[in-house]
Amino acid sequence: MKKHFSKITTLVVALIATASTFAAGTAHVQVFHNCADPAADTVSVFVDFGVGQTALLPAFAFRQATGFVDVPSGSAFTVYVKAKGSTTGSPALYSKVLGPLAQDSSYIVVASGVVGSGFATNPNSVSTAFDLKVLAPARRAAANAGKVDFAVFHGATDAPAVDVNLTGGATLVPNAKYGDASGYLSVNPTWHPIDIAAAGTSTVVASYVADLSSLSGGAAVVFASGFLTPSTNNNGPAFGLFAVLASGTVIQLPTQQTAKVQVVHNCADPLADSVDVYLDGTKLLDNFKFRTATGFVSVLAGVSHSIAVAPASSTSVAQALETFPVTLAANSNYTVFASGTVGTGFAANPDSRSIAFDLKIVANAELAATNNTKVDFAVFHGATDAPGVDVNLRGGATLVPNAKYGDGTAYLTVDPTWYPIDIAAAGTSTVVASYVADLTSLTGGAAIVFASGFLTPSANNNGPAFGLYAVLANGTVIALPALQTAQVQVLHNCADPIADSVDVYINGALALNNFAFRTGTPFIPLVAGYANKVSIAPKTSATVADAIWNRDYTLTAGEKYILTASGLVGSGFAANPDGKSTAFDVLVKTPAQTSALVSTNFDFYAIHGSTDAPTVDVVANGALTLVNNASYSDQTGYLPAPAGSYTLSVRDSSGVNTVVSYLADLTPLAGNSGVVLASGFLNPAANNNGAAFGLYVALPTGGPFIPLTVATGINDVNQEIGFSMFPNPSNGTLFINFDLKQSEKVTIQIVELNGKTVKEVLTGNTLNGKQNVTADLSDLSNGMYVARIITANKVVNNKFNIVK
């Protein structure tokens, strides 16, 4: 271009010096080649000031311009447009007489239209024949040094009349047809979004950005150039907007491209609990509250935006607390966190990060998951007084290592379920807080989990407390609840030999490997409030996909549960005598106990877990019915039993005939709780030779079940020691007779049917042979009682009534 200017200047100086017929003075002319006819993509321009043709622009290309050059004023002159490479003797494609030009005036000469044939007609029936359009008066500089002046010229032959509008704003040029030029408009030296709309309508056909930010004090003409439909115009150059500066520089105006931006208010300073946000001087968000967010909105890309944050209810951007320049890349997505603190009196960041108010930008933000069956989420550390942390899945992988204040992570792709999350001091196992991220409803969506607030509000002007929050693409902000747990014990009482040992998975992760029959876990914490999937698989399983049984359990925070695996997996087993289903299942007990309610008792409940056993009663010490008419899979409520020695008789449904008795010494279990389980098969031979029937005790501490020892039948014990008493009913005196075969310490108790000892007749007396003991019961109320004889290896009970 400089070469052309040099030639023009040399030529003009020569012309002025030799053309004595010209009036004194000069005018200022700029030439722009805007003829889109491919046949005229480069031309030669000659001028004749009355002294013969002279080459002005020997190789003048399409969309090329000169600067403003001085030419003689006062007389007309002829301009010749010829094919490139032409000489003074070559024929002209076009010629036109211009002038006379006014002294010290400025002109822009535009080569426009088409030379040949085969072009679309103009929609407004305006001639598209090649012509030199003269724009006058032209400006070489802005009328106001602090502004930019620009005019518009419609130079696209196949384009209809249009309105030139500021995007979302005023109409700059109404109803401009091909060949029309506007007057100059004076605007601020910044970028301006421009929409080209069909004249008189809101139908936008193209949008551009005129960046005038570097032209303060300058002037330009914006030209519509090229063809809307090249294919019907000899495949000429496509339509575009171009700005021609006074220097001759030609700048193509880029089409409007956008980025998507989401704003999150995460500044925990109480002074900024609500703010106004301005974008490029216009209020975008009014009274924008802490821990709220926008959805993603489209913002022009490629230009420098000004984002300003002002106090709530501000009246103008001049009141801004902070202003930030931001330039966004086209077709990119950003989440912008307003973060840090505005005032003073806040704790320093433990990692020496600045906590001054700032806009923290997470680039490459996602509006949706990359896989529509998954959920994508990133993490942003936005708590000023929190140190670097690791974000871990509870009992699993580290999701984000060593995240410090202000850090944002890349997105992670996960299944749409809930996740227990532990926040641990970076590089340690010290968990400082635990939360649940419930992504079950976000299939195909994306979110950013952000830390917000202060770990120590009292050291931070009593600002809001720390928490984890998730912001969704639509602007919804969700508080992640603190993780709460329930306590769960698992008991394996499935007597099927195939399941003598099983693998137990919780939420897809192996929790118990080779979990053996007749063993229990201790109480372990599981996440409450969300569906925990418990899966049971063969002991040879490789993953949860091998599970043979699955069930979801939603637990109540702070509650205790006992889950007992029961029933049968395979076939070839005896049917249940009561017609109950013996299919594998898990029995649930809640609320479960981990200790006795009274420190001198042992609290327990009973489970009938023997698939081939009929309905039974369980009677303690021959008198107290603990379990009444229990069939397979039944569970009792908790029973408080004084911690002593008992004989537990399993009786048939009549409640009279004892099937088998067991000795249960509960003395060491005072203050504890447990489960008494009927376990195994009455007839192993009819049940794949599975484990034989027995009574067992499971304790909250877990481990192998404790077997109860089979005792001699109660009737036999009574006969063995000759236990008798009279009168029955008693009027307040009871005579107790028995016969000991050897010297033993004997205790005799009077017990209520609920197990409570109300009187001790003998306490550890050493006796031998036949004994006659008189018990004074005059202080007891009428009712049913049990007389209990306790020796080193026997507990014998007989019921009696008191009637006074």
Side-chain angles (χ1 to χ4, degrees):
M1 189 67 74
K2 289 182 179 178
K3 180 174 73 173
H4 293 312
F5 291 163
S6 177
K7 288 182 178 180
I8 295 167
T9 302
T10 302
L11 174 63
V12 170
V13 171
L15 291 172
I16 292 173
T18 58
S20 58
T21 60
F22 297 153
T26 59
H28 315 287
V29 177
Q30 179 177 54
V31 183
F32 177 51
H33 183 344
N34 196 41
C35 168
D37 188 333
D41 63 340
T42 303
V43 297
S44 296
V45 179
F46 293 78
V47 295
D48 185 354
F49 287 93
V51 294
Q53 292 185 28
T54 302
L56 177 64
L57 299 167
F60 195 38
F62 176 57
R63 289 175 180 160
Q64 184 177 349
T66 69
F68 278 92
V69 296
D70 293 341
V71 299
S73 62
S75 299
F77 59 95
T78 304
V79 178
Y80 298 89
V81 178
K82 302 182 180 184
K84 63 181 177 182
S86 295
T87 65
T88 57
S90 301
L93 300 172
Y94 173 87
S95 66
K96 185 172 185 176
V97 177
L98 300 177
L101 305 179
Q103 182 175 337
D104 295 328
S105 293
S106 299
Y107 302 84
I108 298 176
V109 177
V110 184
S112 192
V114 294
V115 178
S117 60
F119 294 92
T121 59
N122 179 263
N124 300 111
S125 301
V126 178
S127 172
T128 60
F130 182 87
D131 195 7
L132 294 180
K133 308 285 188 179
V134 179
L135 309 185
R139 293 185 186 175
R140 292 177 293 164
N144 183 325
K147 299 285 189 178
V148 177
D149 291 354
F150 78 94
V152 175
F153 178 79
H154 188 328
T157 59
D158 69 335
V162 296
D163 293 340
V164 181
N165 307 317
L166 283 176
T167 300
T171 296
L172 301 175
V173 180
N175 196 28
K177 299 180 180 66
Y178 168 65
D180 287 350
S182 75
Y184 278 85
L185 303 163
S186 184
V187 297
N188 290 323
T190 182
W191 54 266
H192 298 274
I194 294 176
D195 286 337
I196 308 299
T201 76
S202 59
T203 304
V204 175
V205 295
S207 297
Y208 299 86
V209 177
D211 189 354
L212 309 180
S213 56
S214 63
L215 293 183
S216 182
V221 178
V222 175
F223 289 88
S225 176
F227 299 108
L228 284 181
T229 311
S231 61
T232 61
N233 288 278
N234 295 322
N235 293 314
F239 181 90
L241 287 191
F242 293 80
V244 178
L245 310 187
S247 65
T249 299
V250 178
I251 301 170
Q252 182 170 5
L253 272 58
T255 57
Q256 285 186 26
Q257 292 181 293
T258 59
K260 290 188 181 295
V261 177
Q262 177 180 54
V263 182
V264 183
H265 184 343
N266 194 41
C267 168
D269 188 332
L271 291 176
D273 63 337
S274 184
V275 296
D276 293 344
V277 179
Y278 290 80
L279 177 64
D280 300 321
T282 299
K283 187 179 287 188
L284 177 67
L285 301 170
D286 187 40
N287 292 334
F288 188 41
K289 297 186 181 301
F290 176 58
R291 289 176 181 159
T292 61
T294 68
F296 280 89
V297 295
S298 293
V299 177
L300 277 178
V303 296
S304 180
H305 294 282
S306 171
I307 298 179
V309 179
S313 303
S314 65
T315 56
S316 78
V317 71
Q319 297 170 283
L321 301 169
E322 298 284 348
T323 301
F324 304 90
V326 177
T327 300
L328 308 174
N331 303 315
S332 296
N333 304 320
Y334 302 84
T335 296
V336 178
F337 285 89
S339 198
T341 57
V342 177
T344 59
F346 294 92
N349 178 260
D351 298 303
S352 301
R353 294 281 179 96
S354 170
I355 62 170
F357 182 82
D358 197 3
L359 297 183
K360 304 290 186 179
I361 298 177
V362 177
N364 302 313
E366 293 185 9
L367 279 68
T370 51
N371 179 330
N372 62 13
T373 67
K374 302 284 188 177
V375 177
D376 290 356
F377 77 93
V379 175
F380 175 75
H381 187 326
T384 58
D385 69 336
V389 295
D390 295 339
V391 182
N392 306 317
L393 281 178
R394 169 160 285 200
T398 295
L399 299 176
V400 181
N402 196 26
K404 296 182 174 66
Y405 168 66
D407 288 349
T409 72
Y411 279 82
L412 304 164
T413 298
V414 297
D415 290 323
T417 185
W418 58 269
Y419 295 90
I421 293 176
D422 287 333
I423 309 298
T428 76
S429 58
T430 304
V431 174
V432 295
S434 297
Y435 298 87
V436 177
D438 187 354
L439 309 180
T440 52
S441 63
L442 293 183
T443 301
I448 298 179
V449 174
F450 62 99
S452 176
F454 300 110
L455 284 182
T456 311
S458 61
N460 290 276
N461 294 321
N462 294 315
F466 180 91
L468 281 192
Y469 294 77
V471 57
L472 310 186
N474 64 3
T476 300
V477 175
I478 301 169
L480 272 58
L483 186 147
Q484 294 181 292
T485 60
Q487 298 293 317
V488 177
Q489 180 179 44
V490 181
L491 307 178
H492 184 345
N493 195 40
C494 167
D496 189 331
I498 292 177
D500 64 340
S501 182
V502 295
D503 293 343
V504 179
Y505 293 82
I506 298 178
N507 299 321
L510 183 62
L512 301 171
N513 186 37
N514 294 335
F515 185 43
F517 175 54
R518 288 176 178 161
T519 59
T521 69
F523 278 85
I524 56 177
L526 290 183
V527 176
Y530 298 87
N532 292 272
K533 182 176 288 297
V534 177
S535 306
I536 296 178
K539 59 188 174 186
T540 56
S541 72
T543 71
V544 70
D546 297 324
I548 59 173
W549 184 90
N550 298 278
R551 183 171 293 168
D552 289 344
Y553 294 93
T554 300
L555 309 175
T556 300
E559 193 58 271
K560 299 181 179 70
Y561 299 79
I562 298 176
L563 306 183
T564 303
S566 191
L568 306 167
V569 177
S571 58
F573 294 91
N576 179 262
D578 299 306
K580 287 281 195 82
S581 170
T582 60
F584 181 86
D585 200 1
V586 173
L587 308 177
V588 179
K589 181 66 174 180
T590 188
Q593 292 183 205
T594 54
S595 62
L597 300 181
V598 176
S599 62
T600 56
N601 287 347
F602 175 69
D603 291 358
F604 71 94
Y605 74 96
I607 296 177
H608 187 325
S610 179
T611 59
D612 68 336
T615 297
V616 296
D617 292 347
V618 178
V619 177
N621 296 334
L624 178 61
T625 299
L626 302 178
V627 178
N628 185 42
N629 290 331
S631 58
Y632 169 67
S633 76
D634 285 350
Q635 302 182 97
T636 71
Y638 272 91
L639 304 167
S645 295
Y646 295 86
T647 298
L648 302 181
S649 301
V650 180
R651 296 180 179 178
D652 63 18
S653 58
S654 70
V656 176
N657 302 315
T658 297
V659 177
V660 64
S661 296
Y662 295 85
L663 296 178
D665 185 3
L666 307 181
T667 305
L669 298 180
N672 284 289
S673 65
V675 187
V676 175
L677 303 101
S679 177
F681 300 108
L682 286 181
N683 186 359
N687 288 278
N688 295 323
N689 294 313
F693 181 90
L695 284 190
Y696 291 80
V697 175
L699 300 178
T701 52
F705 296 173
I706 301 170
L708 298 184
T709 304
V710 176
T712 305
I714 288 181
N715 290 335
D716 293 336
V717 172
N718 284 342
Q719 293 173 5
E720 182 181 332
I721 67 171
F723 182 14
S724 63
M725 55 189 178
F726 67 94
N728 188 5
S730 167
N731 60 1
T733 301
L734 183 68
F735 300 99
I736 301 172
N737 303 316
F738 55 96
D739 186 3
L740 299 177
K741 305 302 181 184
Q742 60 186 13
S743 179
E744 295 185 76
K745 288 186 177 181
V746 177
T747 296
I748 299 178
Q749 298 175 338
I750 306 301
V751 181
E752 292 180 344
L753 293 184
N754 63 5
K756 179 182 179 181
T757 300
V758 293
K759 184 178 285 289
E760 286 204 347
V761 180
L762 295 178
T763 306
N765 296 38
T766 301
L767 304 173
N768 191 8
K770 290 184 178 182
Q771 304 293 326
N772 297 300
V773 177
T774 301
D776 180 5
L777 308 180
S778 59
D779 57 336
L780 297 182
S781 301
N782 289 348
M784 180 72 73
Y785 294 87
V786 173
R788 175 180 297 165
I789 299 176
I790 303 171
T791 67
N793 58 3
K794 299 180 185 67
V795 177
V796 187
N797 298 274
N798 267 341
K799 291 181 183 178
F800 69 96
N801 275 312
I802 296 178
V803 179
K804 294 186 286 186

